[in-house]
C-alpha cells in the first residue's frame, strides 16, 4: 500500500523513512504479515486519534510488594488471626499436644508471623495499630503475653522496636514447640499400623510393602524420619513432655518405635548404612529410657 494514502490521516505527518516506520508501528498488529495488503478504500478513512499515554490497554499487573500494604489491611489481618493465636496459647497452657491440635498450632504460628512481619516491614505501622490492639481483646491479650514472656526472659520491659519484635518471636518459639509436640503425637498414632496387636513390629507386612514399592509406606517413612529428628531436638532442649505427668514417656516410646521401624525398613530395602544408624538409635533409647525429672 503506498505510504501517500496515509498522509491525510495525521495533521503532522512525518516524511520519508520516519513516516514509514511510524505507520508500520501503528498497524503491525492490525494486518498479519503473511496476508496481502487489501486495495486502498475509496471512501476517506476516519482519522485515527492518538490515545494519551496510559489510556486504553491496561498495563500488566505487577506483583504486590510490602509497600502496597496499609495499616488498615494489617488491622484486618491481625484481628482475623488473633482468635487462632489465642486457641494455640490455650493449648499450650493446658499442655494439650494431641494430634487434634496440630492444625490449631499451625494456624496460630501463621498468626504470630503476621505480627512479626508488620514489625519487620515497618515498625511505625505497628504503633499505628495501637488503637486496634487496645480495643480488640484477643489482640491485647496476645500483646500482653508476648511482653510478659520477654520480661520473664530479659528482666526488662519491651519498649524498643527490636524488643517488641523479640517478644513476639519468643511467643512464636513457644507455639513452635507445641506444634512439634503435636507432630510427634500424630506420628505416634499413625505408626501403630505397622505394629501387631501384641506390640511387635509387623515385619511381614513391611517386607511385602517394600517389595511392592508401596507409596504410602514411602511417604510414612519420610514423615517418620522428619518427626524423629523433631523428637530428638525436643529431647535436647529438655522440653519433651507431651502429656502432663508422664514426664516424656510418650516421646521416648515414639523414638523407640520409629527407630525400630526405620531400621527394619532399610534392612528390607537393602540400605545397610541407614539400617545400622537407626538400629543403634533404637538400642540406645531402648536401653536408656530417658524421662523428665
Amino acid at each position: 500500500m503506498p505510504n501517500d494514502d496515509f498522509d491525510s490521516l495525521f495533521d503532522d505527518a512525518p516524511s520519508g523513512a520516519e513516516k514509514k516506520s511510524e505507520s508500520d508501528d501503528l498497524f503491525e498488529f492490525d494486518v498479519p504479515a503473511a496476508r496481502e495488503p487489501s486495495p486502498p478504500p475509496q471512501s476517506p478513512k476516519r482519522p485515527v486519534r492518538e490515545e494519551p499515554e496510559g489510556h486504553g490497554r491496561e498495563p500488566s499487573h505487577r506483583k504486590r510488594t510490602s509497600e502496597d500494604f496499609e495499616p488498615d489491611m494489617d488491622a484486618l489481618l491481625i484481628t482475623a488471626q488473633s482468635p487462632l493465636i489465642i486457641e494455640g496459647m490455650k493449648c499450650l497452657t493446658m499442655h494439650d499436644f494431641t494430634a487434634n491440635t496440630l492444625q490449631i498450632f499451625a494456624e496460630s504460628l501463621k498468626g504470630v508471623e503476621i505480627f512479626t512481619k508488620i514489625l519487620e516491614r515497618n515498625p511505625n505501622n505497628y504503633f499505628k495499630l495501637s488503637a486496634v490492639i487496645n480495643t480488640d481483646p484477643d489482640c491485647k491479650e496476645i500483646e500482653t503475653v508476648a511482653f510478659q514472656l520477654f520480661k520473664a526472659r530479659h528482666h526488662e520491659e519491651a519498649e524498643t522496636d527490636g524488643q517488641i519484635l523479640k517478644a513476639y518471636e519468643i511467643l512464636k518459639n513457644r507455639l513452635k514447640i507445641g506444634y512439634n509436640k503435636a507432630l510427634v503425637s500424630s506420628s505416634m498414632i499413625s505408626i501403630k499400623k505397622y505394629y501387631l496387636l501384641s506390640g511387635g513390629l509387623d515385619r511381614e507386612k513391611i517386607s511385602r510393602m517394600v517389595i511392592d514399592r508401596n507409596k504410602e509406606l514411602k511417604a510414612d517413612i519420610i514423615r517418620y524420619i522428619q518427626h524423629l529428628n523433631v523428637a530428638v531436638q525436643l529431647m535436647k532442649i529438655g522440653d519433651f513432655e507431651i502429656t502432663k505427668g508422664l514426664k516424656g514417656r510418650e516421646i521416648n516410646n515414639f523414638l523407640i518405635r520409629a527407630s525400630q521401624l526405620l531400621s527394619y525398613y532399610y534392612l528390607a530395602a537393602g540400605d545397610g548404612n541407614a539400617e545400622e544408624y537407626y538400629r543403634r538409635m533404637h538400642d540406645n533409647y531402648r536401653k536408656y529410657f530417658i524421662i523428665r525429672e
Side-chain angles (χ1 to χ4, degrees):
M1 181 182 297
N3 289 333
D4 293 339
D5 291 341
F6 296 104
D7 289 347
S8 61
L9 300 180
F10 304 97
D11 294 333
D12 299 322
S15 60
E18 293 181 357
K19 179 173 63 178
K20 184 178 185 302
S21 174
E22 182 172 340
S23 64
D24 289 344
D25 291 341
L26 287 170
F27 296 98
E28 62 180 351
F29 294 108
D30 293 340
V31 181
R35 182 182 300 175
E36 291 294 332
S38 58
Q42 299 300 322
S43 58
K45 289 186 177 181
R46 183 179 179 181
V48 178
R49 184 180 62 184
E50 294 185 2
E51 299 289 352
E53 186 177 356
H55 182 76
R57 190 174 183 178
E58 295 182 359
S60 58
H61 294 288
R62 64 180 179 84
K63 185 177 180 180
R64 299 184 68 186
T65 65
S66 59
E67 296 178 355
D68 296 314
F69 287 88
E70 298 294 337
D72 289 344
M73 184 177 293
D74 291 332
L76 291 174
L77 290 172
I78 64 174
T79 52
Q81 287 292 121
S82 57
L84 303 175
I85 302 174
I86 294 294
E87 289 300 314
M89 291 164 54
K90 287 180 180 178
C91 291
L92 280 177
T93 303
M94 296 185 295
H95 291 81
D96 185 1
F97 307 111
T98 59
N100 295 333
T101 64
L102 183 60
Q103 190 61 32
I104 295 175
F105 281 114
E107 292 298 328
S108 63
L109 281 170
K110 292 178 183 178
V112 177
E113 285 176 356
I114 292 176
F115 282 87
T116 58
K117 286 179 180 178
I118 291 173
L119 285 162
E120 290 172 347
R121 186 176 69 244
N122 187 353
N124 290 331
N125 281 1
Y126 179 82
F127 293 106
K128 291 178 182 178
L129 295 171
S130 297
V132 176
I133 294 174
N134 291 331
T135 55
D136 187 279
D138 289 340
C139 290
K140 187 60 180 178
E141 184 174 356
I142 293 165
E143 183 186 62
T144 301
V145 171
F147 287 2
Q148 288 175 347
L149 290 172
F150 179 87
K151 186 175 182 179
R153 176 174 294 186
H154 298 284
H155 308 290
E156 60 178 330
E157 301 289 343
E159 296 177 349
T160 66
D161 298 341
Q163 290 174 334
I164 295 174
L165 176 60
K166 185 65 177 177
Y168 282 105
E169 288 177 344
I170 295 173
L171 175 59
K172 179 182 174 181
N173 289 337
R174 290 290 183 92
L175 291 169
K176 181 66 174 178
I177 291 174
Y179 175 79
N180 287 338
K181 290 182 179 182
L183 276 179
V184 174
S185 293
S186 66
S187 285
M188 286 167 56
I189 295 174
S190 66
I191 203 172
K192 292 179 181 179
K193 61 186 174 184
Y194 297 108
Y195 280 81
L196 301 169
L197 293 177
S198 60
L201 189 66
D202 194 343
R203 290 177 170 81
E204 182 179 348
K205 175 182 178 179
I206 297 170
S207 297
R208 185 171 60 253
M209 295 177 78
V210 170
I211 294 173
D212 295 339
R213 297 182 178 180
N214 186 277
K215 293 182 179 180
E216 180 184 0
L217 175 62
K218 290 182 178 180
D220 285 341
I221 291 299
I222 293 173
R223 184 167 64 253
Y224 294 148
I225 291 173
Q226 295 172 345
H227 295 182
L228 186 64
N229 292 333
V230 167
V232 171
Q233 292 302 316
L234 289 172
M235 298 283 282
K236 288 182 178 180
I237 66 175
D239 189 357
F240 51 87
E241 186 179 66
I242 294 179
T243 302
K244 190 174 183 180
L246 293 184
K247 298 182 179 180
R249 285 182 172 85
E250 310 101 314
I251 205 165
N252 277 274
N253 187 42
F254 172 72
L255 287 166
I256 293 169
R257 287 196 164 199
S259 57
Q260 183 184 21
L261 170 61
L262 292 171
S263 174
Y264 185 77
Y265 169 81
Y266 284 113
L267 176 65
D271 189 337
N273 292 332
E275 184 275 332
E276 182 181 3
Y277 174 81
Y278 289 109
R279 175 166 49 81
R280 288 182 178 180
M281 179 181 289
H282 172 70
D283 291 340
N284 288 337
Y285 284 104
R286 182 170 57 86
K287 293 177 181 178
Y288 306 102
F289 195 76
I290 303 171
I291 62 174
R292 183 177 181 181
E293 297 297 339

